[in-house]
Amino acid sequence: MSVGERLDDEDTVVMSLKLYNTLKKKREEFVPLEEGKVGIYVCGITAYDVCHIGHARSAVVFDVIYRYLKYKGYDVTYIKNFTDVDDKIIGKAIAEGTDIATISERYIKEHNEDMDRLGVARPTVTPRATENIKGMIRLIDTLMERGLAYVVNGDVYYSVEKFAGYGKLSGRGLDDMMAGARIDIDEKKKNPYDFVLWKASKEGEPWWSSPWGNGRPGWHIECSVMSQRFLGDTFDIHGGGEDLIFPHHENEIAQSEGATGKPFANYWMHNGFIKIDSEKMSKSLGNTLTIKQTLVAYHPEVVRFFILQRHYKSYIDFSDAAMAEARMGMERVYAALKGIKDARGEEADLSDLSEKDLDKEDEIVFEKVRTLPDRFTEAMDDDFNTPMALGYIFDIVRVINSYLPAKESPFTRGMLFTLSEARERIREAGKVLGLFLEDPDDYFAKDQEREVRKAGLDEEEIERLITERRQARDAKDWGRADEIRDLLVGKGIILKDTPTATTWKIG
RNA sequence: GGCGGCAUAGCCAAGUGGCUAAGGCAGCGGUCUGCAAAACCGUUAUUCACCGGUUCGAGUCCGGUUGCCGCCUCCA
């Protein structure tokens, strides 16, 4: 069996990965350049500010793509850059009276913290623009030699009219764009859409020496250089937010293909945006939400779940209500995982369980559970359909929930084996999605702690009241017990009475 | 003005020509309970914005209408 294929039990079924290629505007079968290997480049952040949930979406989406490609058995090289020289970084450095390295270092560190908390795996390499200036100068030089770039007063511009394929990614021709141009006419440029490759430095700005004088790179050249450096002239997948399609990715193609004469990336993938309360998130609207703010209010897996419940290409609408729903959904899965955990008990050694332990009823459940990996793969092979993959996980959750409470402790070996299988299969899919990876008790403990903090409640006071209610109930003093219950409900606390204890949660 | 996307139950959301239109949330019914709640189970779209067309067959393809949205400027 070769990589990228799975063989079914009976007949040979080639399950190939299909993905939507922005370049072709259609879904295509994914065929890597080199069998068994994938090179993927995703545009990273400009390190001038803390990351917002839009960054989180892009990071989580491509994290899942990266993990899934590895799950399929590919040897994946995943490159995500940091832009650490740029107008905004320079502006901030000047404002703070420091240098750009201090600024970019600070926000790269913040970014990495955010990613770690979101459970986003580190890419294979995270190159920085300033480490690749020489490569940029070489690439610009090649573009000059090929007649695709020109110099004006120490600035170097790319001449878009000289590149025949300009507009092929964004699907717009230069003529179309000129018709409704909303851009400023810059006298220095031959065409308004020409973009800067190298900028002559102004007083007080960082600079590197170049054949065109002291300056710094333009906004687009770094990605052409870093992708080529780590993945070669042509590579498999290039990703980023949909806003980058034009001009950034269009310009990358012009730079790279203009210089090498070879195709740049074979597949282009773009994630959709996050809106907040149905509005576009932007600094001008003042409705940006940072990852750190989001994680104060929600468990990182709830954030991931929220993102993965929608297909990566469509926009998603962030709101407290939507996040509350995501939290409820996560709770459902974790509740099932807790049921499995509790059934198994802490101590028991279950390593010698096998299919031989299954009775007829166990077998029916076991067979359903065992279909999860194939169904998960089917969904993910279909342009990374994470909503469908999650739907399949919920199907298994329902199967287990129906099976579990019907049983009385002690559990038979066959039941324990079936439950173990369910847990493992959910965990296997969860590892790709970055979900359901916590111990259920830890998950609920953290969730409760977070909710208590958000509601500004006093946990000890709640516990004291619950104990008092417990005592009242034991004494069959229903009046007092209900009085306390009403008090707690008034604070948003939901009591969970079981025969042996009362626990609680915030609803 | 140019380019592109989307419209599926109360809400969110899969579905890209053919079994009974996934799944989640909310709602309703049931189990449980001192009564509740929580949890679990069951249930909730003869129908996919509207009109026409292609086809043996369309939510899925084509044309039109309406309504939202994105990009064209740094932006994930």
Side-chain angles (χ1 to χ4, degrees):
Chain A
M1 177 161 53
S2 65
V3 172
E5 296 176 1
R6 286 179 73 103
L7 266 57
D8 210 283
D9 290 340
E10 304 285 317
D11 40 353
T12 306
V13 178
V14 179
M15 293 172 79
S16 60
L17 173 62
K18 291 194 174 63
L19 54 82
Y20 182 85
N21 187 353
T22 311
L23 186 59
K24 304 285 176 59
K25 291 169 185 56
K26 64 180 181 192
R27 195 186 305 208
E28 295 185 320
E29 186 173 332
F30 175 66
V31 182
L33 282 170
E34 195 179 332
E35 193 178 332
K37 292 191 177 180
V38 180
I40 177 167
Y41 185 93
V42 174
C43 294
I45 60 154
T46 299
Y48 76 101
D49 205 349
V50 292
C51 292
H52 52 66
I53 54 171
H55 296 106
R57 182 177 194 192
S58 185
V60 167
V61 162
F62 286 103
D63 181 49
V64 169
I65 289 169
Y66 172 47
R67 289 169 190 245
Y68 184 64
L69 290 169
K70 288 202 290 187
Y71 173 81
K72 294 269 294 180
Y74 289 109
D75 176 9
V76 186
T77 304
Y78 174 28
I79 311 298
K80 188 168 178 177
N81 69 295
F82 285 114
T83 299
D84 61 349
V85 53
D86 152 280
D87 286 346
K88 292 200 186 82
I89 300 171
I90 292 167
K92 201 144 192 168
I94 290 169
E96 292 189 18
T98 183
D99 55 16
I100 59 168
T102 303
I103 300 297
S104 60
E105 197 60 48
R106 178 198 306 160
Y107 293 110
I108 288 171
K109 188 165 166 286
E110 296 262 12
H111 166 273
N112 288 340
E113 282 172 18
D114 290 344
M115 294 302 122
D116 288 348
R117 291 188 60 200
L118 284 169
V120 170
R122 295 284 173 93
T124 317
V125 186
T126 50
R128 300 184 186 191
T130 56
E131 297 163 350
N132 292 275
I133 301 288
K134 276 185 186 163
M136 297 185 212
I137 291 171
R138 270 200 303 276
L139 186 65
I140 296 167
D141 211 36
T142 303
L143 292 170
M144 287 292 292
E145 280 171 20
R146 291 189 150 224
L148 291 164
Y150 57 93
V151 182
V152 182
N153 302 332
D155 292 339
V156 184
Y157 290 96
Y158 189 100
S159 184
V160 293
E161 290 166 13
K162 296 282 178 61
F163 182 68
Y166 197 77
K168 67 180 179 182
L169 178 69
S170 54
R172 54 189 102 198
L174 281 172
D175 294 342
D176 294 337
M177 291 192 289
M178 296 308 290
R182 272 195 351 212
I183 49 167
D184 298 329
I185 302 301
D186 184 336
E187 292 302 323
K188 291 194 288 187
K189 296 181 188 177
K190 291 180 181 169
N191 181 299
Y193 283 97
D194 287 352
F195 55 92
V196 71
L197 296 166
W198 187 263
K199 259 180 149 167
S201 60
K202 299 193 187 80
E203 189 65 32
E205 291 181 349
W207 56 270
W208 289 262
S209 61
S210 82
W212 317 284
N214 295 341
R216 56 196 170 83
W219 307 305
H220 311 293
I221 195 73
E222 62 177 279
C223 288
S224 283
V225 169
M226 290 187 269
S227 58
Q228 185 184 39
R229 177 177 168 188
F230 294 101
L231 301 173
D233 291 347
T234 303
F235 57 94
D236 298 301
I237 300 171
H238 191 129
E242 65 181 3
D243 56 313
L244 296 179
I245 294 172
F246 191 88
H248 184 58
H249 289 162
E250 196 68 67
N251 291 352
E252 279 185 58
I253 291 173
Q255 291 165 344
S256 295
E257 297 192 354
T260 66
K262 300 177 200 165
F264 184 43
N266 286 144
Y267 303 90
W268 286 82
M269 298 184 68
H270 294 95
N271 67 272
F273 262 45
I274 285 188
K275 293 193 194 186
I276 295 190
D277 295 324
S278 305
E279 271 196 326
K280 185 186 169 175
M281 179 173 65
S282 74
K283 296 210 168 176
S284 54
L285 283 167
N287 62 349
T288 55
L289 190 60
T290 66
I291 292 173
K292 286 184 170 60
Q293 287 172 321
T294 310
L295 291 178
V296 168
Y298 305 100
H299 190 288
E301 287 195 358
V302 170
V303 177
R304 286 186 77 109
F305 181 81
F306 167 74
I307 290 167
L308 297 174
Q309 250 187 320
R310 283 82 167 174
H311 187 85
Y312 73 87
K313 282 204 304 287
S314 45
Y315 80 82
I316 60 181
D317 197 358
F318 183 100
S319 65
D320 288 333
M323 292 303 289
E325 281 187 18
R327 176 172 167 253
M328 291 304 168
M330 285 296 287
E331 197 169 306
R332 183 168 164 81
V333 178
Y334 267 112
L337 290 172
K338 178 161 168 56
I340 293 171
K341 181 189 174 188
D342 292 346
R344 287 168 56 97
E346 299 287 350
E347 319 274 311
D349 176 19
L350 307 171
S351 55
D352 64 333
L353 292 170
S354 76
E355 287 188 46
K356 291 193 187 82
D357 294 311
L358 301 175
D359 69 20
K360 251 204 166 66
E361 199 195 334
D362 300 331
E363 218 164 274
I364 293 166
V365 175
F366 190 86
E367 285 306 315
K368 284 183 187 166
V369 165
R370 228 178 46 158
T371 63
L372 182 59
D374 280 348
R375 295 206 285 164
F376 177 73
T377 299
E378 185 195 326
M380 294 296 284
D381 275 349
D382 186 13
D383 199 22
F384 307 98
N385 193 335
T386 53
M388 183 176 273
L390 287 167
Y392 289 146
I393 290 172
F394 278 103
D395 286 342
I396 297 304
V397 165
R398 191 183 330 98
V399 167
I400 291 304
N401 283 340
S402 309
Y403 174 65
L404 204 48
K407 306 294 177 183
E408 299 282 328
S409 200
F411 294 87
T412 66
R413 292 169 58 81
M415 286 158 52
L416 292 174
F417 187 63
T418 303
L419 294 175
S420 293
E421 181 70 12
R423 195 197 56 175
E424 289 313 307
R425 296 291 74 84
I426 291 171
R427 187 164 289 180
E428 182 186 346
K431 276 182 189 162
V432 175
L433 301 173
L435 296 174
F436 322 125
L437 300 175
E438 284 216 60
D439 176 89
D441 290 310
D442 289 346
Y443 176 86
F444 286 117
K446 284 182 193 170
D447 179 73
Q448 179 162 307
E449 191 188 316
R450 190 183 311 264
E451 293 297 322
V452 166
R453 186 161 15 85
K454 268 160 74 176
L457 295 170
D458 179 348
E459 197 160 346
E460 283 180 23
E461 172 72 1
I462 294 165
E463 295 288 357
R464 195 188 60 70
L465 285 166
I466 285 174
T467 304
E468 191 186 334
R469 171 167 170 272
R470 186 88 213 161
Q471 287 160 353
R473 291 187 74 209
D474 287 344
K476 299 211 185 314
D477 179 359
W478 309 124
R480 177 59 186 157
D482 292 350
E483 191 182 322
I484 294 171
R485 182 170 71 194
D486 293 343
L487 178 68
L488 290 170
V489 167
K491 293 181 180 192
I493 293 160
I494 294 167
L495 295 172
K496 298 191 273 188
D497 288 327
T498 67
T500 51
T502 298
T503 56
W504 55 281
K505 68 168 188 173
I506 310 243

